[in-house]
Amino acid sequence: MIVLKVLAIIAIVLIALFLLTLVIYFFNLDMKFAAALIKPLTAYYNWSKNRRETKKKKEQDTHKE
């Protein structure tokens, strides 16, 4: 009896996951999410790049002195 309940729960979870992936695929939500992330990730990359360059310049100036 417990085994049947466990199998039923596993089946329900698998069906729910399948339906979730079907919705994501049908509405192309993964690409929409990726497109929404481009701007913040680009801003973070540029900020990080500027920070690294500033740090590198400071280290070079320290070594020159």
Side-chain angles (χ1 to χ4, degrees):
M1 197 68 174
I2 294 175
V3 174
L4 290 177
K5 287 183 181 180
V6 170
L7 289 176
I9 291 172
I10 290 173
I12 291 170
V13 168
L14 289 176
I15 290 170
L17 289 174
F18 175 74
L19 291 175
L20 178 65
T21 57
L22 190 65
V23 168
I24 290 171
Y25 173 75
F26 185 75
F27 292 109
N28 201 20
L29 296 178
D30 54 339
M31 288 295 108
K32 290 178 183 178
F33 180 68
L37 282 180
I38 288 175
K39 189 172 181 178
L41 287 177
T42 303
Y44 176 76
Y45 174 77
N46 290 336
W47 172 78
S48 182
K49 182 179 176 185
N50 292 339
R51 189 179 52 140
R52 284 191 309 269
E53 289 175 355
T54 304
K55 185 178 178 183
K56 190 174 182 180
K57 286 179 184 178
K58 285 182 182 178
E59 287 177 359
Q60 287 176 352
D61 291 342
T62 305
H63 290 300
K64 286 181 181 180
E65 295 175 355

